[in-house]
Amino acid sequence: MKTIAFFNNKGGVGKTSLTYHLAWMFAELGLRVIAIDLDPQSNLTSSFLEDETLEELWSEERAPRTIFGSLDPLLNRLGDMKPPKLIDVDERIRLIPGDLGLSTFEDRLADAWSKCLDDDKANAMDAARATTAFYRIMESADATFESDVVLIDVGPNLGSVNRAALVAADHVVIPLAADLFSLQGLKNLGPTLRAWREGWTTRADRLARFNVGRDAITLPSGAMAPAGYVVMQPSSRERYPVAYRRWIARIPEAYRVKILGEDGPFQIPDPDPYALAVLKNHRSLAPMAQDARKPMFALKPADGAIGSQVAAVKDCYRSIRGVASQLITRCGLPRPLAAVGV
C-alpha cells in the first residue's frame, strides 16, 4: 500500500481539487485508488458525492459510514477502530468519507502523542492505537479493495489530526499558490514535517518493545517523504503578471531550504525537478465540472464544454496526467499499461 498526502497549512491553494482530479486520473490510467477525506470540512467527500447521498450519509446517528464511524470506539475508549465502509465512486475509486465530527478526535490525538512514550504498556498501546488509527483504517480498506494508491486529503492546519494523517503518509505533495503567503507558509511547514517525522520515529522505536503478541498493531513508517510541489495558478495572474512571476521564481529555493532542509547557494535547474506542475486556473470549467460530478478534464460538449472550453479541457487533461505520471515514478506506484508513454 502506497499512501500520498496532499498538505499545506495554508488554505485556498487547491489542495482538495488536486486530490480529487488525481484520484480520477490515476483511475483513468488503470490504478485502483482509495481516497480518504481527513479534513473535517469534508470538501473532498462533497466533490465525489451527490447532495442526496451526503444528506443520507451525515444524517445517520454516529455517522457509521464515514471516517467518524470507524473512529467512534476509540473516541469513547471502548475499543479499537472499526474497518471503514467504503463508498463506490467508480470501478477503480473507493472513498472513505469525511465527517465534521472528526474534529472531536483532535484532543484524543494530542493526548495520545505524548502518551506513546509512556512507560506503562497499557497507556502506551492505547495511545498507539489512536495515533495509528488513520493508517490502520487505510490498511483495512486496502485489504478489502487491493488498491494501488491511497490519496489523503487533510485540512489546512498543523493540528493533531493532521499530524496523525501525515504519520500515515509515505509521501507528501505540497500544493502552493504563487504568493507571499505560500512562501511564508513553507517556513512553518518544512520544520513541522521534520519534527513530526522525527517524533514518530522516536515513538515507533519505543512502542516496538510493547507491540508484540496478539494485540500488536501495524506501526506506519511515518516517512512523509516530499514528492514535490504543485503551483496552482491564480485567477489574478492576468492582472498582476509581474508579481506572479516574482513569487513563482522564489518557490524553488524556498522549497529546498524549508521543506528539504538544504543549504544554499543553489543552482536551480530549469525546469525545477521538484516542481510537478504549474496548473492553470480553469475558471469556466470548475462550476461545469461540479454540476456534472466529474473532473474538469473529463468534460464533454454534452456537459457544456464547447468552443474554447474544449481546448481548456484538453489542457487540463495533459496537466493532470503529467502530475500523475510523475507521481507514479516518484512514489513507486505500479505503472499500468495505460500509463506507458505518459
Side-chain angles (χ1 to χ4, degrees):
M1 179 179 71
K2 295 287 187 178
T3 55
I4 305 174
F6 297 82
F7 182 47
N8 192 324
N9 57 305
K10 179 185 181 297
V13 293
K15 170 183 54 61
T16 297
S17 177
L18 180 61
T19 308
Y20 173 79
H21 281 82
L22 281 171
W24 281 106
M25 182 54 72
F26 281 134
E28 169 88 1
L29 296 176
L31 274 67
R32 293 165 65 84
V33 181
I34 294 172
I36 180 168
D37 191 348
L38 297 182
D39 181 353
Q41 295 183 56
S42 305
N43 290 326
L44 182 65
T45 302
S46 300
S47 298
F48 277 118
L49 303 180
E50 300 280 354
D51 288 346
E52 294 79 8
T53 303
L54 292 172
E55 185 176 4
E56 178 185 352
L57 192 69
W58 289 332
S59 65
E60 296 174 337
E61 186 177 359
R62 309 302 293 177
R65 293 192 294 158
T66 71
I67 186 68
F68 188 81
S70 293
L71 296 171
D72 192 37
L74 279 167
L75 283 162
N76 293 300
R77 299 180 187 270
L78 296 175
D80 201 357
M81 45 74 58
K82 295 178 182 177
K85 298 182 183 297
L86 301 177
I87 303 293
D88 294 4
V89 174
D90 177 76
E91 181 183 356
R92 296 193 182 101
I93 302 176
R94 297 293 182 271
L95 171 69
I96 301 176
D99 196 298
L100 184 62
L102 181 59
S103 59
T104 63
F105 200 37
E106 193 81 45
D107 289 344
R108 174 85 158 99
L109 287 171
D111 181 61
W113 187 250
S114 60
K115 287 187 176 177
C116 282
L117 300 173
D118 203 299
D119 289 328
D120 180 82
K121 178 179 179 179
N123 287 338
M125 289 307 294
D126 176 70
R129 280 188 285 273
T131 303
T132 64
F134 294 147
Y135 179 79
R136 292 181 298 118
I137 286 170
M138 297 176 208
E139 186 181 48
S140 176
D142 181 66
T144 301
F145 185 58
E146 297 182 349
S147 66
D148 295 305
V149 62
V150 179
L151 305 183
I152 308 167
D153 189 36
V154 296
N157 63 72
L158 300 176
S160 300
V161 166
N162 282 359
R163 181 173 57 197
L166 269 290
V167 162
D170 297 319
H171 302 275
V172 182
V173 173
I174 300 176
L176 297 167
D179 57 29
L180 174 61
F181 296 105
S182 279
L183 289 173
Q184 290 294 110
L186 291 178
K187 294 180 179 179
N188 295 326
L189 188 57
T192 298
L193 286 175
R194 288 193 289 276
W196 287 353
R197 189 185 302 117
E198 293 165 7
W200 175 246
T201 298
T202 299
R203 284 157 176 78
D205 290 344
R206 289 283 297 275
L207 288 167
R209 60 182 172 147
F210 293 137
N211 194 37
V212 295
R214 66 176 185 174
D215 296 326
I217 60 174
T218 306
L219 300 177
S221 68
M224 309 180 207
Y229 63 88
V230 175
V231 180
M232 312 300 284
Q233 192 178 97
S235 58
S236 60
R237 180 189 177 187
E238 295 83 359
R239 290 179 291 157
Y240 306 108
V242 176
Y244 171 81
R245 288 195 295 268
R246 181 179 69 198
W247 295 124
I248 202 169
R250 292 173 60 179
I251 289 174
E253 182 168 332
Y255 183 85
R256 284 161 170 78
V257 172
K258 304 304 179 184
I259 302 300
L260 303 181
E262 297 178 357
D263 296 323
F266 302 101
Q267 292 292 326
I268 308 294
D270 185 18
D272 181 8
Y274 297 118
L276 294 166
V278 176
L279 298 181
K280 292 182 180 179
N281 187 318
H282 295 292
R283 286 170 293 177
S284 63
L285 299 183
M288 198 182 304
Q290 186 175 14
D291 289 342
R293 291 292 172 181
K294 60 172 62 173
M296 291 186 290
F297 62 73
L299 290 170
K300 306 292 184 185
D303 301 313
I306 57 177
S308 62
Q309 294 169 334
V310 174
V313 168
K314 292 180 179 178
D315 180 70
C316 181
Y317 183 91
R318 285 191 297 268
S319 298
I320 298 297
R321 183 162 175 152
V323 176
S325 177
Q326 291 183 77
L327 289 177
I328 286 171
T329 300
R330 296 184 187 200
C331 300
L333 305 183
R335 194 165 181 84
L337 292 176
V340 172
V342 176

